[in-house]
Amino acid sequence: MLELIILFPVIAGIIAVFLGKHPRLAELVACLGALGAVGAALFSISIFISSGAPISDFSELLRMDALSAFLIGITSVVSLLVFIYSVGYMRHEVEEGIIKEDRLARFYAQLSLFLAAMLTGLLASNPIHVWAAVELTTLSSVFLISFYNTKASIEAAWKYFTINSVGFTLAFIGILVLFYAFAQGGLETPVYGTPFDITKINPLYLKLAFVFVLVGYGTKVGLVPLHVWLPDAHSQAPTPVSALLSGLILNIALYGILRVYGIVILSPEIAGFASGLFILFGVLSLVVGALRLFAQDNLKRLLAYSSVENMGIIVLATGIGGPIAIFAALFHMLAHSLAKPLAFLLGGIITNAYGTKNMPDIKGAASAVPVFGLLFLLAVLGVAGSIPFGTFFSEIALLGGALSKGQYLVALFVIVFTVIAFASFLYKASDMVFGNKPEKMPKHIEVSPYMSFSVIALLLLAIALALFPPAPVLNLIKDAGSLIGGV
């Protein structure tokens, strides 16, 4: 069944290409493709959980273990809700004359192929296949970022493509060094999750491989100082694309790093070096991301810098290591992957109502867009680490992990800069939600049922998994953590 997870959105994307004159049919095909991916993913995950062992398919090119199953579940479910939201959002763009209706089929074709590339990266069985799939996510998403064909969107897309291409070149060098290290030790090409004798590998090669992979993939993750493309790309893409970029695609690139990290930390000579780099990049990203939030006036740039901060938290927790911190890293990845798309999608409803993404021009959203304005405030505070979202619990777990490892200075950084991030979000969002709405706004604003369904479903899912995480999810997190040092 593993190939079906990818095949459904691939087929949907190919069909959508030929539906230029039938945009409604293209919407349906894309959503069915995403639904098929969810069905195949959940079925495969259930097989994996029941078997208790990794499963392979497609001549061993595809492989699912705990880490890939965990992220496949997140990616497929969140993507489906974003696809459904896209129907209402893109129809509104057509009604407002922002895009022409005959471009919708192309949008859904590209969105479906983007989803297929993300899922392929998470199911690839070895480093070179992961690299190829992550590169495909760049190629498929660059046209989505430039979809509006404005000067700003085209510049953002080129910046995204150029910087990430340099990063992927560095990551490719790192993978080649890793392959060379295995060959020199008389070992077969590494397959993720399979045992091997680490003592046969030269530690110097492992160190070089990890540095290149971290810097290379770190570019796409948005780790400081490699994050410069991220605010531009997220602010210029259509809102559904921004939700996928910020909530999911960063996970795919981070997955590439975590897989190599899971290999190099098996070497006692490299483990401290690798975790130290994670802590360094994590702290830098947390600090810069948090400090940049207050200076933003564009809503989507605000949420983009929050992604930098949250990726920093995940990488920092991974670097600290140990069962508590690794759990914090993976649970934060889950929570952020739900809360951040939710914030983008709710933000899309508000910016559609006001006709601007400029936060100083948005006042009284609670009365202009009843319910959704207040939910937006709840969502952005959830992104910043507030109850009832999982980010609150993962940040508390991160503090516990840091203190248990004697990382008192790191714990202090976490407390100070997560508080700064929360305060910035509270100030910015409260200013948007409360107050008097502009007189020129329509008295009644229609919110598409597709958009309403998606945000409510995503909100309920985010809160349910935070407060009542089911045992299979917790077990997946525990097993996935064992692959990256959470033992």
Side-chain angles (χ1 to χ4, degrees):
M1 292 289 291
L2 296 183
E3 69 272 14
L4 293 181
I5 300 175
I6 302 166
L7 195 59
F8 278 116
V10 167
I11 293 174
I14 293 173
I15 293 174
V17 169
F18 300 99
L19 296 176
K21 296 181 179 180
H22 306 281
R24 297 294 185 267
L25 190 54
E27 295 169 349
L28 177 61
V29 167
C31 289
L32 288 177
L35 179 61
V38 170
L42 295 181
F43 182 77
S44 298
I45 292 170
S46 67
I47 292 176
F48 163 73
I49 291 174
S50 62
S51 68
I55 55 177
S56 299
D57 212 341
F58 205 62
S59 301
E60 304 294 326
L61 293 177
L62 303 178
R63 189 174 190 273
M64 177 181 283
D65 60 11
L67 184 57
S68 55
F70 172 63
L71 289 174
I72 280 286
I74 297 172
T75 303
S76 60
V77 172
V78 173
S79 293
L80 173 60
L81 294 175
V82 172
F83 273 56
I84 296 171
Y85 177 95
S86 298
V87 174
Y89 186 88
M90 299 308 290
R91 286 183 184 179
H92 178 271
E93 299 281 86
V94 172
E95 292 170 1
E96 294 295 314
I98 298 172
I99 61 172
K100 294 182 179 180
E101 191 174 41
D102 59 6
R103 298 187 65 215
L104 286 180
R106 195 183 87 181
F107 172 82
Y108 288 109
Q110 292 170 348
L111 200 65
S112 296
L113 295 175
F114 180 40
L115 172 59
M118 288 193 292
L119 296 172
T120 302
L122 295 173
L123 288 172
S125 62
N126 70 61
I128 198 66
H129 295 149
V130 171
W131 177 88
V134 176
E135 178 69 0
L136 282 176
T137 65
T138 301
L139 296 175
S140 57
S141 58
V142 70
F143 297 106
L144 290 167
I145 294 171
S146 63
F147 187 75
Y148 289 129
N149 284 335
T150 62
K151 180 180 178 181
S153 66
I154 293 172
E155 286 180 355
W158 273 110
K159 189 175 184 180
Y160 166 76
F161 178 76
T162 302
I163 294 175
N164 279 280
S165 293
V166 173
F168 285 128
T169 301
L170 296 176
F172 185 67
I173 293 172
I175 291 168
L176 291 180
V177 173
L178 182 66
F179 276 36
Y180 179 76
F182 270 71
Q184 287 292 100
L187 302 174
E188 296 182 358
T189 300
V191 173
Y192 290 135
T194 58
F196 61 92
D197 187 355
I198 192 69
T199 61
K200 294 184 177 181
I201 302 178
N202 189 325
L204 176 60
Y205 294 143
L206 287 179
K207 183 179 291 189
L208 286 173
F210 181 71
V211 169
F212 275 105
V213 167
L214 176 59
V215 174
Y217 283 136
T219 302
K220 188 146 191 169
V221 175
L223 299 178
V224 173
L226 312 166
H227 68 294
V228 291
W229 65 270
L230 194 148
D232 292 334
H234 290 201
S235 64
Q236 295 303 320
T239 291
V241 178
S242 298
L244 294 179
L245 287 172
S246 190
L248 300 180
I249 190 60
L250 304 184
N251 290 347
I252 312 302
L254 183 56
Y255 174 82
I257 300 175
L258 292 178
R259 282 304 196 180
V260 176
Y261 181 71
I263 292 174
V264 301
I265 60 169
L266 296 176
S267 171
E269 299 166 278
I270 306 301
F273 171 79
S275 62
L277 281 181
F278 262 30
I279 292 174
L280 173 62
F281 277 99
V283 169
L284 282 175
S285 301
L286 169 63
V287 170
V288 173
L291 292 179
R292 290 287 290 167
L293 290 174
F294 191 78
Q296 305 308 310
D297 286 331
N298 182 290
L299 174 58
K300 294 177 78 174
R301 289 182 70 88
L302 175 80
L303 294 175
Y305 274 107
S306 170
S307 293
V308 175
E309 177 224 355
N310 279 280
M311 287 299 108
I313 289 173
I314 295 168
V315 170
L316 174 59
T318 306
I320 291 172
I324 300 175
I326 293 296
F327 173 84
L330 294 174
F331 198 74
H332 197 85
M333 190 180 292
L334 168 64
H336 178 257
S337 298
L338 297 171
K340 181 56 66 61
L342 177 63
F344 266 109
L345 300 187
L346 285 165
I349 292 174
I350 292 174
T351 55
N352 277 355
Y354 284 80
T356 180
K357 299 179 181 69
N358 191 38
M359 290 185 288
D361 296 330
I362 301 175
K363 306 288 183 183
S367 57
V369 195
V371 179
F372 295 103
L374 293 175
L375 289 181
F376 171 75
L377 177 61
L378 179 66
V380 294
L381 293 182
V383 169
S386 173
I387 290 177
F389 290 88
T391 50
F392 172 80
F393 301 105
S394 58
E395 288 177 8
I396 294 298
L398 169 57
L399 287 175
L403 293 175
S404 69
K405 289 282 189 173
Q407 297 277 4
Y408 303 114
L409 182 59
V410 170
L412 179 62
F413 270 102
V414 171
I415 294 172
V416 170
F417 289 99
T418 53
V419 168
I420 290 174
F422 182 85
S424 297
F425 265 120
L426 181 62
Y427 175 79
K428 295 284 186 179
S430 297
D431 200 39
M432 293 170 58
V433 172
F434 301 112
N436 298 320
K437 68 179 181 179
E439 295 180 359
K440 295 182 180 180
M441 290 189 65
K443 292 183 179 180
H444 180 67
I445 299 168
E446 288 286 346
V447 178
S448 164
Y450 297 100
M451 299 165 75
S452 301
F453 170 79
S454 295
V455 296
I456 296 301
L458 194 53
L459 173 66
L460 294 177
L461 182 62
I463 294 175
L465 289 178
L467 301 180
F468 312 104
V473 173
L474 294 176
N475 289 334
L476 268 184
I477 292 175
K478 178 183 176 183
D479 294 341
S482 67
L483 298 175
I484 54 173
V487 293

